[in-house]
Amino acid sequence: MPAGTYAEKVTINNGNGAKHIDRNITLRGAQVGNNAVSRPADAEETVLTGGIEVGNLQNNDSLTIDGFSVQGKGINLLGWGNPYNTQGTVVIQNNRITDIKDGTVSAIHMNCDAKEYIRQITIAQNYISDIGEQGNAANGIYVVISSDRLDVTDNVVNNVNHTCVQLASALIDEIYIEGNTLTNWNRDGDGGAGAGGSNGDDIYLPKKELNVVEIHENSIVRDETLPGRTGYAARLAYSGTAKYDLSNNYWGTENFSQVISGQGYAKLTPYYTDEAMETPVSSYIAKLSFSCSALMLNGTAERKLSPSLTVLGNQDKSETVEYQWQTSDDAIVALEERDGVMYAVGKKIGTATITLSAVDPLSKKTVTCAVEVKVGNDPEGISLEDQRVVTGSETRLTVKVNPEGAELPSYYTFVWSSDNESVASVDENGVLTAGNTPGTAVITVECKSFSTVKYTATATITVVNPIPIESVEVDGEVTLKPGEEKTLTAVIHPADTTDDTALVWESSDPAVVTVDAAGKVTAVKPGQAEITVTTVNGKSATVTVKVLAEYTITASAGKGGVITPSGEVKVTEGDSQSFAFKAEDGYEIAEIKVDGKTVDATDSYTFTAVDADHTIEVAFRAVEDVPQTGAELPLTAFAVLLAGIACLFLMGKSRNRTAHR
């Protein structure tokens, strides 16, 4: 059948008066040969909303149904005709069977005469989900017929109102249930009125001693939030000494009322491992648990720890099992045994894990259970914050436990109320709904331990009309040095806006300046970038951030003195830098050069408003090497001059004496 949707029921019925013929009947949908579990959701399907019904096939007829999407009604096989001993086969594969509303049948329903016989039945690679309505007992796969062999492989069976794989009255020599995902049986919690209120199970095996039962590599999980009792993961209905191999399955949870039901022997592993063991069903620990409050109050409370065992076959093993207790941190939660009873005692604030272990007397396997326990401050009260909200809005109110670090026990509940529901109402979860009229309402929350009110808190809620953001402003120009940080401040107008005041910051050049979500800018390298801040309603403002450059002044001094500072001196753009010179004893400054040119200076020099690299050099000379000022005459000539002056003076004296005579 080509892709499309067909409302009519597809019927195959040979009729009671027909001649015996051997036929291979094949119904092919658009997705023939394509695994229904893994094929795309948008695949072109042959959709049958009226279901498929097969009845009164004859002799050695074989049937294959492959590649359909069946909705609303299931695949219903009413039976073969005479003779009963057929060599035919049934193959139902690659079909999507969903949303079955007919509670009288199942997704795949083979309710045949028990005398009828089919050589082999294969149910493979089908996707089966949402089977049955509230109160009915529809199953996922239901087989009541005699057969040499049944293979249920690689199917998904999910969300069924009764049992995923129901074989209660089947007479099948060999059963292989392998590689399936079988989840969420007994979906509505009561098994449905059609089952007389009985619980469904995941797998229900026939009420007979079978030659071969192999159940491997299946994922068997029931959502713990589903209502009612869980039923069994596997119900071994026969009470004799039959052996079942249920090894290497994933049972998925420890919260089954019982993992396995029955009195036979089973080779099984309760949770998926590579290790199998053979032991009587009635002697294996399927579940070990204990309860302890998630919260223990510091120094004021303790909890009695009572272990609980679930065993296969409902046999009590509590007297033969040895328990071992362990705490991950006895400074937080200590374990104290009194008169054979274990207690958990809170010591200080924190979290610790308590682990319980038990060794099965027969299998010698160790089963463990761990519970996380919190220890907190004793609560002194609760509080709510006053809030302003916008008309027509919803807000979840938060209860604060005081003091900081205190917690309420998990079983405490909150009861909410409003004194003016026309302005603001509050539901049982603390979700506040503002009305369309501005005003105020007082919200009250009561913290209860069962029926006792422990704490009370109130908050005034002011409901106003929306006040949008009109503008935002930010700091003016900012100058930073490389590596320097500064947090920018944005101011939103008007200040009493009811809009979300969250801001988005962005840099035009993160290679120069980065900015984080809080408006903190970090200078990366010299340059300039624009920082933009934007409000949720698109208002924005921009600030220019300049990152200053850094320059190097290389300072050096010759023999006979020092320059301070010396070497390569880093100077930020626009800053000034001074250098001092000092000659050693016997030396004095001979020359000062800046960028290779001689400058006038005494004992220091200052670079101002630095905007480039520079050099400064100082030369010194010894004092004895310094020439005299005035007439630079040799010493001998000076001596001769003095001698001449003396002679002239003496000659004058002699001349005067002669004249006097």
Side-chain angles (χ1 to χ4, degrees), residues 217-221 224 233 246-260 267-277 284-289 308-312 365-369:
E217 299 182 4
N218 302 283
S219 179
I220 301 171
V221 181
E224 297 177 3
L246 288 83
S247 58
N248 296 337
N249 295 284
Y250 176 65
W251 303 104
T253 180
E254 295 183 350
N255 289 332
F256 299 129
S257 59
Q258 288 182 315
V259 177
I260 308 292
K267 183 180 182 183
L268 64 104
T269 49
Y271 311 110
Y272 188 89
T273 68
D274 293 330
E275 182 181 359
M277 54 180 287
Y284 193 89
I285 299 176
K287 175 183 144 183
L288 173 66
S289 65
S308 174
L309 281 175
T310 297
V311 298
L312 306 181
K365 292 181 83 65
T366 299
V367 184
T368 62
C369 176

Side-chain angles (χ1 to χ4, degrees), residues 34 54 88 204 210 270 296 299 410 420 526 574 637:
N34 294 327
V54 181
Y204 197 128
L210 306 173
M296 299 177 63
S410 59
N420 193 348

Side-chain angles (χ1 to χ4, degrees), residues 45 52 91 108 328 418 440 489 495 513 526 654:
E45 300 276 0
I52 299 174
V91 178
I108 297 175
S328 63
S418 170
T440 60
T489 300
V513 178
S654 177

Side-chain angles (χ1 to χ4, degrees), residues 447-634:
C447 180
K448 287 186 171 184
S449 173
F450 301 102
S451 61
T452 302
V453 177
K454 292 291 189 179
Y455 311 105
T456 302
T458 61
T460 299
I461 304 300
T462 303
V463 179
V464 299
N465 289 321
I467 304 173
I469 295 173
E470 296 177 358
S471 65
V472 60
E473 62 178 333
V474 69
D475 310 44
E477 185 172 323
V478 177
T479 301
L480 300 174
K481 299 176 181 179
E484 193 174 4
E485 296 177 346
K486 178 180 175 62
T487 298
L488 303 178
T489 300
V491 180
I492 291 175
H493 301 287
D496 62 346
T497 179
T498 58
D499 285 349
D500 186 350
T501 56
L503 299 170
V504 177
W505 298 85
E506 186 178 8
S507 172
S508 65
D509 192 350
V512 175
V513 178
T514 63
V515 62
D516 66 12
K520 183 176 73 175
V521 297
T522 301
V524 179
K525 70 176 185 179
Q528 185 171 296
E530 305 297 323
I531 302 297
T532 301
V533 60
T534 305
T535 65
V536 292
N537 68 343
K539 306 298 182 180
S540 64
T542 301
V543 58
T544 300
V545 179
K546 181 180 181 182
V547 182
L548 299 174
E550 191 175 64
Y551 297 106
T552 302
I553 300 177
T554 305
S556 61
K559 180 181 178 182
V562 295
I563 184 172
T564 305
S566 64
E568 293 186 349
V569 181
K570 303 296 183 181
V571 184
T572 301
E573 177 185 357
D575 285 357
S576 299
Q577 179 65 50
S578 297
F579 294 86
F581 326 123
K582 184 177 181 181
E584 298 175 353
D585 292 342
Y587 289 85
E588 64 181 5
I589 297 171
E591 188 179 30
I592 302 168
K593 290 185 178 180
V594 173
D595 298 331
K597 298 180 179 180
T598 301
V599 297
D600 292 328
T602 54
D603 57 356
S604 67
Y605 185 87
T606 299
F607 294 90
T608 60
V610 176
D611 59 0
D613 294 336
H614 295 284
T615 62
I616 182 169
E617 307 167 79
V618 183
F620 300 90
R621 60 192 171 197
V623 173
E624 58 268 26
D625 294 338
V626 178
Q628 301 295 318
T629 59
E632 297 181 356
L633 298 175

Side-chain angles (χ1 to χ4, degrees), residues 119-417:
R119 180 169 58 86
Q120 184 169 336
I121 303 168
T122 300
I123 301 173
Q125 298 181 358
N126 300 284
Y127 179 84
I128 301 170
S129 183
D130 299 322
I131 309 303
E133 295 182 296
Q134 183 73 27
N136 67 48
N139 302 288
I141 298 171
Y142 183 86
V143 177
V144 179
I145 197 169
S146 299
S147 180
D148 284 346
R149 173 169 176 156
L150 169 67
D151 288 89
V152 180
T153 58
D154 300 324
N155 302 277
V156 168
V157 184
N158 178 53
N159 290 340
V160 299
N161 270 26
H162 200 242
T163 299
C164 289
V165 181
Q166 170 70 272
L167 310 176
S169 300
L171 301 173
I172 305 172
D173 289 336
E174 298 182 10
I175 297 174
Y176 300 88
I177 303 175
E178 298 175 330
N180 303 278
T181 298
L182 310 173
T183 59
N184 294 345
W185 60 94
N186 198 28
R187 176 177 61 171
D188 66 4
D190 62 9
S198 65
N199 282 310
D201 306 293
D202 193 62
I203 301 173
Y204 197 128
L205 295 176
K207 299 176 180 178
K208 62 166 289 187
E209 186 166 356
L210 306 173
N211 292 329
V212 178
V213 177
E214 301 282 342
I215 301 176
H216 307 299
E217 299 182 4
N218 302 283
S219 179
I220 301 171
V221 181
R222 189 177 189 272
D223 188 342
E224 297 177 3
T225 65
L226 291 175
R229 294 176 294 167
T230 63
Y232 297 104
R235 185 186 292 269
L236 314 183
Y238 184 65
S239 60
T241 59
K243 289 188 176 181
Y244 309 103
D245 192 340
L246 288 83
S247 58
N248 296 337
N249 295 284
Y250 176 65
W251 303 104
T253 180
E254 295 183 350
N255 289 332
F256 299 129
S257 59
Q258 288 182 315
V259 177
I260 308 292
S261 168
Q263 299 300 316
Y265 284 73
K267 183 180 182 183
L268 64 104
T269 49
Y271 311 110
Y272 188 89
T273 68
D274 293 330
E275 182 181 359
M277 54 180 287
E278 190 165 326
T279 186
V281 171
S282 60
S283 65
Y284 193 89
I285 299 176
K287 175 183 144 183
L288 173 66
S289 65
F290 69 97
S291 62
C292 187
S293 298
L295 174 68
M296 299 177 63
L297 305 181
N298 185 29
T300 66
E302 61 185 26
R303 298 288 184 267
K304 179 181 177 181
L305 303 178
S306 300
S308 174
L309 281 175
T310 297
V311 298
L312 306 181
N314 281 324
Q315 294 190 9
D316 185 9
K317 303 173 68 175
S318 58
E319 295 182 356
T320 60
V321 172
E322 295 183 2
Y323 299 104
Q324 294 182 341
W325 298 92
Q326 187 176 10
T327 175
S328 63
D329 193 337
D330 57 9
I332 296 174
V333 178
L335 295 172
E336 298 180 5
E337 186 175 359
R338 307 168 199 159
D339 300 326
V341 178
M342 191 65 69
Y343 292 85
V345 182
K347 294 296 185 180
K348 70 176 185 179
I349 296 174
T351 301
T353 299
I354 300 175
T355 302
L356 171 63
S357 301
V359 179
D360 188 279
L362 293 180
S363 70
K364 305 304 181 183
K365 292 181 83 65
T366 299
V367 184
T368 62
C369 176
V371 173
E372 187 177 84
V373 181
K374 295 181 180 179
V375 179
N377 282 325
D378 294 336
E380 297 175 358
I382 60 175
S383 60
L384 290 174
E385 290 186 0
D386 296 342
Q387 291 192 42
R388 187 184 62 156
V389 299
V390 177
T391 53
S393 64
E394 284 191 355
T395 307
R396 180 178 292 277
L397 302 179
T398 301
V399 178
K400 180 182 179 182
V401 182
N402 303 315
E404 185 176 356
E407 295 187 51
L408 299 171
S410 59
Y411 57 87
Y412 278 25
T413 58
F414 295 124
V415 178
W416 299 84
S417 63

